[in-house]
Amino acid sequence: MRITLISPVNPAAVSDLLSVEDGQIAKDQPVGTGTAPGLLARALVRRGHDVTLVTHRRGHASLDLTGENFRLVQVESRTRQRHQLKDCWAKERALMAHAVIESRPDVVHAHWAYEWGLAATKTGLPTVLTVRDAPLTVVRYTHDVYRMVRLLMPYRIRFGKQPDVVTAVSPYLASKWRRQTLSGGYIHVIPNSAPSDITQIGPKSDSPLVVEVSDAGRRKNIPLLLLAFAKVRENVPNAELRIIGPGLDEGGFIARDARRHGLAAGVHFLGTRSRSEINHHLSEAWVHAHVSLEETFGNTIVEAMCCRAVVVGGDKSGAVPWILGNGEYGVVADMKSPDSVASAIMSVLQDNDMREQLSVAAHNSLARFSEESVVTSYLEVYRKAVNLARNR
């Protein structure tokens, strides 16, 4: 099958699918987002499908890179955000739609209901749309002009030219999307896949280690984690907390506030790190403290489970309790209460048997997110989209 994915992507993450020369060009590109689409592209190529991945990244020129059964097309994207906001990414959407049509796919798979989804539906080709966030929920946690303009784009898809099939990455998101966009059609739930390249799990840290992989946004709730960890240190004095992600370096405002308020003892702000470095830290961790207030899936939760770190996550944090089996595969806590989070972390750090049991149970549960299961589900909806498009 010829499949074109249209989504954000980190070029370096798919460099191994390209020729040696083009792979090096991809590796030299700045780090980007879009982990799940990259993993899906790799899995589809491994299954023998012909895959094109179309993308744009603000301020970057066009690229056309190829490998065996794989092509990465990056269209030119304007540098100034205000120009993109003014016309809702019209230039980028047009260029991506043209690239999709030129790739002559049997089916188009768009990720995120923004310029990616609008460009895909514009082509008139059989289209699958994977929604990865709920528009009103995003605006609730991020108050800026950028998000307000983007808020309109999912509704242009919902009340305009719609995709043939819609999927969501969790039951939570399917429900949110249905309510927020007044959608009546069936939404297939297909989660992100667990990374298949986490095979070498290193030894756990000799001393109690908590790791969080996040960012500095309000939804991610890092200030509460710092309050909770200060309480953990009162009872587990040798505990260490490593915080990883953009805006979470030693010079960031969260780190400065932590030092100002005496909450930095035992805390290391590591900032942005490569995927391999993140997996190394998760492999050493006793606990992955995932304190986000809301997640539509939670990639780092699944990665932590692969690395056999016990996850502490929110009991009302969107898809988090679903991934954790409501406490069967991790510990759930109230992410608005530092006491609740601290108690949950300490329960894992101080009970070796509990930690081992949860680690094994979580790792065994990952079959739900296996590459085989996820790719098979997507191939089924691709065929459904093709059949529906024939009968439009």
Side-chain angles (χ1 to χ4, degrees):
M1 182 178 281
R2 293 178 63 87
I3 303 160
T4 295
L5 308 179
I6 176 169
S7 73
V9 68
N10 179 8
V14 293
S15 60
D16 59 311
L17 300 177
L18 300 165
S19 67
V20 174
E21 182 179 350
D22 283 358
Q24 188 57 54
I25 294 172
K27 288 179 182 178
D28 292 339
Q29 300 302 305
V31 174
T33 58
T35 299
L39 291 174
L40 177 59
R42 177 176 287 101
L44 289 168
V45 169
R46 274 202 289 260
R47 288 274 195 109
H49 298 281
D50 192 329
V51 178
T52 298
L53 205 161
V54 175
T55 191
H56 86 93
R57 295 192 300 154
R58 182 180 302 121
H60 291 276
S62 60
L63 289 173
D64 195 338
L65 308 176
T66 58
E68 186 175 357
N69 296 329
F70 181 71
R71 181 181 176 204
L72 172 62
V73 179
Q74 177 177 286
V75 305
E76 182 182 0
S77 185
R78 289 168 288 180
T79 300
R80 296 190 180 278
Q81 185 183 91
R82 69 173 181 269
H83 295 159
Q84 294 171 326
L85 288 171
K86 188 175 181 180
D87 61 12
C88 276
W89 286 262
K91 179 180 178 181
E92 289 78 8
R93 285 189 282 118
L95 289 172
M96 288 193 293
H98 176 78
V100 168
I101 293 169
E102 189 269 338
S103 69
R104 301 174 62 83
D106 299 311
V107 65
V108 184
H109 184 182
H111 296 257
W112 281 277
Y114 300 105
E115 65 265 43
W116 325 99
L118 284 168
T121 54
K122 181 181 179 180
T123 65
L125 294 165
T127 300
V128 174
L129 170 65
T130 292
V131 295
R132 295 187 171 277
D133 59 24
L136 295 177
T137 304
V138 173
V139 170
R140 174 186 169 193
Y141 288 105
T142 311
H143 307 145
D144 56 34
V145 174
Y146 174 80
R147 281 296 172 189
M148 291 304 298
V149 172
R150 289 181 79 77
L151 170 66
L152 303 175
M153 300 171 84
Y155 293 96
R156 291 179 63 175
I157 294 174
R158 169 64 183 87
F159 296 105
K161 196 168 187 179
Q162 296 188 47
D164 297 288
V165 177
V166 176
T167 79
V169 293
S170 66
Y172 161 78
L173 180 56
S175 175
K176 280 285 186 182
W177 180 266
R178 193 175 287 111
R179 291 201 305 270
Q180 291 185 12
T181 64
L182 306 177
S183 297
Y186 183 75
I187 299 176
H188 299 257
V189 174
I190 305 177
N192 292 341
S193 63
S196 59
D197 58 345
I198 302 180
T199 55
Q200 299 297 320
I201 308 301
K204 293 298 177 186
S205 171
D206 292 335
S207 57
L209 172 61
V210 181
V211 172
E212 169 66 300
V213 183
S214 189
D215 63 47
R218 187 167 69 95
R219 179 171 61 95
K220 296 298 188 176
N221 205 25
I222 298 301
L224 180 134
L225 174 59
L226 294 169
L227 289 170
F229 187 70
K231 296 176 182 292
V232 171
R233 290 267 296 188
E234 292 173 3
N235 295 276
V236 189
N238 62 334
E240 175 191 356
L241 172 62
R242 299 176 190 168
I243 302 180
I244 303 169
L248 298 173
D249 54 273
E250 290 288 353
F253 72 92
I254 288 181
R256 293 196 303 271
D257 282 351
R259 290 190 292 270
R260 186 180 305 118
H261 293 100
L263 298 174
V267 182
H268 303 278
F269 294 91
L270 302 183
T272 302
R273 297 297 170 112
S274 69
R275 189 161 170 265
S276 62
E277 289 177 296
I278 290 171
N279 290 337
H280 169 75
H281 290 293
L282 288 173
S283 293
E284 288 192 316
W286 294 23
V287 171
H288 169 43
H290 191 88
V291 297
S292 176
L293 295 169
E294 190 266 353
E295 291 286 356
T296 56
F297 183 70
N299 287 327
T300 60
I301 296 176
V302 175
E303 290 173 14
M305 293 162 76
C306 289
C307 295
R308 297 186 180 272
V310 175
V311 178
V312 171
D315 58 355
K316 296 181 177 64
S317 298
V320 173
W322 173 67
I323 295 177
L324 296 180
N326 292 310
E328 187 175 352
Y329 312 128
V331 180
V332 293
D334 180 359
M335 289 301 145
K336 294 183 179 179
S337 167
D339 288 335
S340 178
V341 174
S343 177
I345 293 173
M346 284 188 291
S347 70
V348 180
L349 296 182
Q350 295 177 322
D351 190 329
N352 294 338
D353 290 339
M354 175 188 184
R355 192 165 63 249
E356 178 63 21
Q357 289 168 7
L358 286 173
S359 173
V360 171
H363 198 266
N364 290 342
S365 77
L366 290 173
R368 299 175 293 160
F369 310 119
S370 70
E371 179 184 289
E372 177 74 17
S373 173
V374 170
V375 173
T376 297
S377 296
Y378 274 128
L379 289 171
E380 289 174 359
V381 299
Y382 293 164
R383 288 189 283 270
K384 180 177 180 179
V386 170
N387 290 332
L388 288 171
R390 286 187 186 131
N391 298 319
R392 283 180 194 155

